[in-house]
Amino acid sequence: MKKTRTRRLGHALAALTLLVGTASATTAGTAAAATPPLQSIVPVPVSVQALDGVSYALTETTKIHTEAGSAPAKDVGEYLAGVLRRSTGFPLPVSDAAGTPADGVSLLLSGADAKVGDQGYQLNSTAGSVVLRANTADGLFAGVQTLRQLLPGKIESPTTQPGPWAVPGANILDYPRFGYRAAMLDVARHFHPVDTVKRYLDQLAQYKINHLHLHLADDQGWRIQIDSWPRLATYGGSTQVGGGPGGYYTKAQYTDLVNYAASRHITIIPEIDMPGHTNAAQASYAELNCNGVAPPLRTDIEVGYSSLCISKDITYKFVSDVIREIAELTPGPYFHIGGDEAAATSQPDYLKFIGKVLPIVAANGKQANGWHDIAKADLPANASPQFWGTTTSDAGVAKAVAKGSKVIMSPANKAYLDMKYNASTPIGLNWAGYIEVKDAYEWNPGAYLSGVGESAVRGVESPLWTETVVTPAHIDLLAFPRLAAHAELGWSPWSTHNWNAFRTRLGAQGPRWEAQSMNFYRSAQIPWDNGGTPGTCTLPAWDSGSVYTGGNTVSHNGHKWTAKWWTKGEEPGAGGDWGVWRDDGVC
């Protein structure tokens, strides 16, 4: 092993010296040539057929046509125009279509291939027009996200950029693998205000994510106004992990988020975790405690110590009031009841509690989601356990599936966005291990859990817990690029799954994220697109009279190039390879 390591390191340094000597470099994880648009779509479509030598030019005279008489189609058209106007500076008027227009960009709710279903689309671009067809506005919206990726990355800029703006000629047929594709944002550990959540919704929409699960209450904070129990928000929401002011959403603010999400074709799923993870509620109301004494507010990140009092009638009035008030504000079909890490609740009490709460959810017109711990109870067929374990089997989940339940797949060692990429990641946790981009991509949601086949999977969800996540930049760093990997697992057919192809397509997203000022993690596993020719370097050429090498590092003109082993910090033999990295990520 030692000899192999020395030999490979020698090869890496030899290559490194050659790169500096010729004053040009293409480095794993940094500069790569611009990827052709039809080879850079994430999630990858079901079918893409290129029309060679054909492209449609978006110009200042381009019009956007939408299905006549369809307000939802018109809304999607206005959304598209809003995205494109900022960067192109073009007026892009939106008007009703008469038949199939021969020019411009058309969004039509007629004539789509039956295969697209309720969420898919077909896109046909020629020299004269771009035509998007779907059966629903959801499908049109998904197609718009693909259309964005067919244009240069600078189309995402908030300011006017120079063209040209060419859409390659193509016929694309596309529809999702799973109807449910979700992300979760924990706003309880650290409160994230409305504008931050809206920013995340915009990011999710680009990758065809159609649900946002909001973790609204936990030991460290209660984040939504409840009129019948006002101290939940005003007192229970008054702090967060590490101290600080915390915060909560008024009902008007929560409604604003629900409506904004709907405009991005995303359904909000509220979660109130219970019977554990309830210290903020118990601190707000002493009667929710078996001993009648309110505990102090907590700002640490411990888990498993809190529990509602299962034997008290007041507990179920509290639960009923909370579910009712939130359900009234939430038009989506789901209500998440949490149910995880209830170590302070005995098993009999836990089963009794879940048995009483499930009918309350149903009485308020919602289907229950819950962390997979709830599968210990008898679940109705429309309840979905959300698997968050680190194993590949769970008896309770298999039992629920046998009775008709569908599972939401969020294995912590694959899908948890709060896990660090590696030991050097500045924020995040690592209790479920490190998750690099390849780890996030290389698993099959439809065949991951024993006894849970593809037909029993509702979809994929990417949870982001926020013990260490305070700012939008923190969200960016942990969510991207891994969220895009999960989005492809949820949308694209398993037959298209290919890491090497995906990493190239993912690298092409870099210029888009840069244009959006996203603080994404530049994983060394990904050949990030530089938008131009391969690795052109403007540094001075090698000076043969200077000394550059020392160990595994070459230095030149104030910068250092280092040969490193890129895989979770593991030694050779555990997978991975040597690569070269410059201290500022250039060349």
Side-chain angles (χ1 to χ4, degrees):
M1 184 64 74
K2 188 173 183 179
K3 289 182 179 178
T4 301
R5 178 179 182 178
T6 302
R7 183 171 69 251
R8 289 189 176 181
L9 177 57
H11 291 334
L13 283 173
L16 188 154
T17 301
L18 177 62
L19 293 177
V20 177
T22 58
S24 67
T26 301
T27 306
T30 56
T35 305
L38 289 174
Q39 298 172 27
S40 63
I41 304 168
V42 177
V44 65
V46 172
S47 171
V48 178
Q49 180 185 45
L51 302 180
D52 293 338
V54 175
S55 65
Y56 173 77
L58 198 71
T59 70
E60 61 183 6
T61 62
T62 297
K63 298 178 181 179
I64 296 176
H65 310 284
T66 61
E67 186 78 24
S70 172
K74 187 72 169 286
D75 288 342
V76 176
E78 292 290 357
Y79 166 86
L80 174 61
V83 171
L84 302 182
R85 285 169 183 153
R86 296 174 303 193
S87 51
T88 65
F90 300 156
L92 300 170
V94 180
S95 59
D96 284 353
T100 302
D103 61 358
V105 178
S106 299
L107 309 180
L108 305 178
L109 292 172
S110 58
D113 189 305
K115 293 179 182 177
V116 305
D118 291 337
Q119 296 186 30
Y121 63 92
Q122 66 182 64
L123 186 156
N124 305 101
S125 55
T126 65
S129 66
V130 175
V131 180
L132 263 171
R133 297 182 185 273
N135 294 322
T136 66
D138 288 343
L140 289 180
F141 190 81
V144 161
Q145 308 317 313
T146 297
L147 177 58
R148 290 168 72 172
Q149 292 190 35
L150 295 180
L151 289 160
K154 60 186 178 180
I155 198 71
E156 305 298 340
S157 174
T159 59
T160 303
Q161 303 293 312
W165 306 105
V167 178
N171 295 317
I172 298 175
L173 181 69
D174 202 13
Y175 46 86
R177 177 185 185 186
F178 299 113
Y180 180 101
R181 304 170 306 282
M184 187 218 78
L185 182 63
D186 168 18
V187 296
R189 269 50 177 272
H190 277 100
F191 179 65
H192 293 273
V194 168
D195 286 347
T196 298
V197 180
K198 287 182 175 181
R199 181 176 184 271
Y200 199 40
L201 285 163
D202 283 336
Q203 293 170 343
L204 300 179
Q206 292 182 71
Y207 294 94
K208 303 181 175 72
I209 302 295
N210 63 353
H211 292 80
L212 176 62
H213 166 185
L214 287 177
H215 185 77
L216 291 166
D218 212 297
D219 291 314
Q220 299 85 359
W222 186 282
R223 306 303 181 200
I224 186 167
Q225 174 186 352
I226 302 296
D227 292 338
S228 53
W229 299 75
R231 276 175 57 84
L232 291 172
T234 58
Y235 183 70
S238 65
T239 191
Q240 58 189 12
V241 167
Y248 65 90
Y249 306 120
T250 65
K251 287 190 169 183
Q253 288 173 324
Y254 178 79
T255 297
D256 182 36
L257 281 176
V258 167
N259 292 338
Y260 190 86
S263 74
R264 270 62 182 161
H265 293 256
I266 294 173
T267 299
I268 294 290
I269 301 171
E271 179 192 351
I272 301 296
D273 209 344
M274 48 185 153
H277 288 280
T278 51
N279 190 76
Q282 292 174 263
S284 302
Y285 288 95
E287 57 266 42
L288 298 178
N289 299 274
C290 287
N291 62 4
V293 177
L297 293 170
R298 297 281 291 255
T299 61
D300 58 346
I301 63 171
E302 295 300 315
V303 299
Y305 57 84
S306 59
S307 178
L308 295 171
C309 191
I310 308 304
S311 62
K312 283 188 170 183
D313 291 342
I314 191 69
T315 295
Y316 302 99
K317 182 180 188 326
F318 160 76
V319 170
S320 182
D321 288 342
V322 168
I323 292 176
R324 172 179 49 78
E325 291 196 34
I326 296 175
E328 287 172 352
L329 302 174
T330 309
Y334 304 115
F335 192 101
H336 202 294
I337 61 173
D340 64 322
E341 297 177 321
T345 312
S346 70
Q347 180 81 344
D349 278 353
Y350 182 88
L351 297 176
K352 175 182 177 181
F353 179 82
I354 298 299
K356 287 194 172 186
V357 170
L358 289 171
I360 295 173
V361 174
N364 284 278
K366 304 298 180 185
Q367 298 176 41
N369 292 350
W371 301 109
H372 75 260
D373 312 59
I374 69 168
K376 292 180 288 189
D378 287 328
L379 301 180
N382 67 358
S384 291
Q386 182 170 353
F387 180 75
W388 63 278
T390 58
T391 65
T392 55
S393 64
D394 184 272
V397 173
K399 181 186 74 172
V401 166
K403 293 184 175 182
S405 288
K406 290 185 179 291
V407 182
I408 299 166
M409 295 301 300
S410 302
N413 55 338
K414 297 291 185 181
Y416 269 32
L417 297 175
D418 53 302
M419 294 298 107
K420 294 184 175 188
Y421 294 91
N422 53 53
S424 300
T425 309
I427 58 172
L429 304 174
N430 63 4
W431 63 264
Y434 299 119
I435 304 177
E436 248 292 0
V437 183
K438 188 175 183 181
D439 302 311
Y441 184 75
E442 288 284 64
W443 62 288
N444 183 354
Y448 188 79
L449 271 183
S450 298
V452 182
E454 177 130 352
S455 63
V457 174
R458 187 175 296 282
V460 181
E461 183 170 308
S462 310
L464 179 52
W465 302 99
T466 62
E467 288 92 339
T468 66
V469 177
V470 183
T471 67
H474 289 167
I475 294 175
D476 289 353
L477 181 69
L478 293 178
F480 292 94
R482 292 180 296 194
L483 186 67
H486 298 154
E488 179 147 310
L489 290 175
W491 179 277
S492 304
W494 181 248
S495 60
T496 66
H497 190 85
N498 181 288
W499 164 248
N500 287 326
F502 173 72
R503 65 192 289 268
T504 299
R505 286 184 286 103
L506 187 61
Q509 304 302 304
R512 300 182 183 281
W513 297 345
E514 290 169 356
Q516 294 171 320
S517 299
M518 281 175 55
N519 181 45
F520 65 97
Y521 170 63
R522 295 177 182 271
S523 170
Q525 295 182 338
I526 307 303
W528 295 107
D529 197 332
N530 69 359
T533 57
T536 302
C537 186
T538 59
L539 295 181
W542 182 276
D543 179 356
S544 60
S546 299
V547 177
Y548 297 97
T549 60
N552 64 338
T553 299
V554 168
S555 61
H556 176 53
N557 198 38
H559 291 286
K560 292 181 179 180
W561 288 260
T562 303
K564 294 183 179 181
W565 184 259
W566 293 109
T567 173
K568 294 189 185 178
E570 296 172 339
E571 291 298 304
D577 209 345
W578 289 102
V580 182
W581 186 258
R582 199 179 103 167
D583 56 5
D584 61 357
V586 179
C587 300

